[in-house]
Amino acid sequence: MPLVHIDLIAGRSEEQLRGMVKDVTAAIVKNTGAPAEHVHVVLNEMEKEHYAVGGVLKSDEK
């Protein structure tokens, strides 16, 4: 049972997330041979004020 965790900043549409999950699942199936119904994808959407790079919150970026 492949389990994929994806952390990303919130703001994408449900359509975009749906497409991403479909593409990730297809890649796992192609490269592992696992059936699609056994591939689990967990999306963790973070608010910009809860994520920082180089000591700077993404919400503070211009």
Side-chain angles (χ1 to χ4, degrees):
M1 169 187 83
L3 176 60
V4 180
H5 287 266
I6 301 173
D7 295 317
L8 65 164
I9 294 176
R12 285 150 187 92
S13 70
E14 188 171 339
E15 182 178 318
Q16 289 173 308
L17 295 173
R18 189 175 287 114
M20 180 177 59
V21 167
K22 182 178 178 182
D23 291 347
V24 167
T25 298
I28 297 295
V29 168
K30 176 184 173 187
N31 290 288
T32 68
E37 59 271 12
H38 291 179
V39 178
H40 297 247
V41 180
V42 178
L43 302 177
N44 179 33
E45 292 188 282
M46 300 168 286
E47 297 301 324
K48 288 182 178 184
E49 57 271 4
H50 296 162
Y51 184 74
V53 176
V56 178
L57 289 172
K58 294 303 263 182
S59 59
D60 291 339
E61 289 184 345
K62 304 282 183 210

